[in-house]
Structures are given as structure tokens and as C-alpha cells.
Amino acid sequence: MIELALGAVTLLVASTVGGITGFAASLVSTPALLLVGYDVPQIVVINLTATLVSRFGVLVRLHRHVDRRQVAALGAGAVPGAVAGVATLGYLDEQALRTGTGVVVTVIGLVLLLASDRLRFRPGTSSTTATGLLGGFLSTTTSLNGPPVAVLLDRCRLTPSEFVANFAGYFVVTNVVSLVLLGVQGRIPSDVLWPALPVLVVAAVVGNRIGGALTERVPAATFTTVVKLLIVASGIATLVS
């Protein structure tokens, strides 16, 4: 019960952060859940499910802000990426994957933070699909599928609502596909399904609603800076987790 209570608090806090910025819930929750006592396969299912449920509500609420072409391109890459992740799960060194992901995300985040507008551009369909491919691969292997897309969306001059809406569309597509693939492969631990998963998902939904209510009060410039700082922090968190 203590582990479940701590997990619920973790998801509440992580999803509040995710609700404000549109991503980073899994990045905040993963190292904390590891410390609480959950193992990686459990955390992957928890993060994917909690993000799917909470982001679906956001997608419904902000559907008018969604760039459908961009979300479709991200999804087109995410599906084969998720398949590749599941296919290679048994052959990858998990710690090496986390370390490599953490280093890359941290470096990219620092470049974005320090270079400011000098690197701003509008990504094309090819780069968007490639980003979705990487996100899909990370989704089924680590559940840390947000950073690559955060980097891409940060380059697009989006308003906070557009950023959050496009991220929600990407998460819904990617996480549905990832959970189906993991289920087909028998990689969803049965011990996390009850009662842990419903309790943690409810905590995530509550946190997401709190964060979502704060998004509209955050100035665009502040929002952009917070996103960049979270990209750096997520990379470091991935390294230490």
C-alpha cells in the first residue's frame, strides 16, 4: 500500500508538470517510480496508460488547435518505430539505451536553450516522420517518447495551446499502438493491472487537469523557456534513472 500511495503521489506531481507543458510526465515519473520500487516493465505500462488516458482528454478539449498533418506525420513514423522497439526489446541493453537517450536529449536541450531563435525553423514532413519513428521506438522500449517530439515542436513557433494539442495527438496515437504491441507480445506485467494501474491513472488524470488549468496562465515566452529546461532535466533524469 505504501508503494501504491507513493506511486500515486508521483503520478499526480508528474502529470501536473505534463499538463502544463504537454509532455515530461513520464520523464518526471520514471526515476521516481524506480526509486519507489516499481520495475521497468511495470513503469512502461503505467506511463503509457496514464499518458494515453490523460492526453485523450486534452486532445478532445484542444482539438481545434491540432495540426492534423503534423500529427499524422508523427504517427506515421511512430507506428513502425514502436514495432521496431518491441522487436528488439530482448536484444537491447536497457541501461545503455537509457544512457544514450539521456546524453542525446541533454545535449539537444542545452543547444536549444543556449542557441535560442538562431536554430528556429519549420520542420518538414520527412523530419517530422523521422522524429515520430524515434519516439515510437523509445515508447515501447522505455516509455520516454516525449523528448524527440518536444525538440521538434519547439522549433515550430507554436502557441502553448498548439504545442500541447499536437503533443496530445501524438501521444494518443503512439501510446495506443505501443500498448497493443506490448500486449500482443505478452510484455504487460499482470501484477500492475490491479489495483495499481487504475489508482495511478486516476492520479495522473487529476494532475493533468491541474496542469492544464495552469497552461493558459503561463506567458508564451515563459512556456518556451520551461519546455527547454524540462528537455535538459529530462535528459539528466534519464541518465540517473
Side-chain angles (χ1 to χ4, degrees):
M1 288 300 295
I2 295 178
E3 181 180 281
L4 181 56
L6 291 173
V9 172
T10 295
L11 264 294
L12 178 67
V13 173
S15 295
T16 300
V17 174
I20 295 172
T21 62
F23 80 109
S26 296
L27 298 161
V28 174
S29 66
T30 295
L33 289 174
L34 285 170
L35 290 174
V36 168
Y38 291 89
D39 59 32
V40 172
Q42 292 176 322
I43 292 172
V44 168
V45 173
I46 290 168
N47 283 338
L48 290 175
T49 306
T51 302
L52 169 62
V53 174
S54 59
R55 293 291 98 186
F56 182 79
V58 173
L59 182 60
V60 171
R61 179 167 56 88
L62 298 179
H63 68 278
R64 294 180 181 176
H65 297 280
V66 174
D67 183 338
R68 290 175 173 78
R69 292 183 64 181
Q70 186 173 63
V71 172
L74 286 169
V79 173
V83 171
V86 168
T88 57
L89 267 177
Y91 306 97
L92 294 173
D93 182 89
E94 183 181 304
Q95 188 56 48
L97 180 63
R98 286 181 179 276
T99 300
T101 301
V103 170
V104 171
V105 171
T106 302
V107 170
I108 291 175
L110 288 171
V111 170
L112 292 178
L113 189 61
L114 298 175
S116 188
D117 289 339
R118 286 177 290 178
L119 295 178
R120 194 167 293 279
F121 66 97
R122 181 75 180 185
T125 301
S126 297
S127 57
T128 301
T129 303
T131 301
L133 183 72
L134 177 58
F137 180 81
L138 292 174
S139 180
T140 48
T141 53
T142 67
S143 78
L144 303 176
N145 54 359
V149 178
V151 172
L152 179 123
L153 294 182
D154 180 71
R155 303 295 85 199
C156 292
R157 297 185 181 275
L158 302 176
T159 66
S161 293
E162 290 169 341
F163 186 98
V164 172
N166 285 0
F167 233 131
Y170 158 76
F171 275 135
V172 168
V173 173
T174 306
N175 290 18
V176 166
V177 171
S178 299
L179 286 168
V180 169
L181 289 171
L182 290 171
V184 170
Q185 292 290 320
R187 294 185 178 275
I188 295 181
S190 58
D191 56 349
V192 78
L193 296 177
W194 183 266
L197 194 59
V199 172
L200 297 176
V201 168
V202 169
V205 171
V206 172
N208 184 73
R209 291 298 297 271
I210 294 171
L214 297 174
T215 300
E216 297 177 355
R217 303 182 183 183
V218 179
T222 302
F223 180 88
T224 301
T225 301
V226 169
V227 166
K228 292 173 182 176
L229 289 172
L230 275 174
I231 292 172
V232 176
S234 68
I236 296 172
T238 305
L239 279 170
V240 302
S241 68

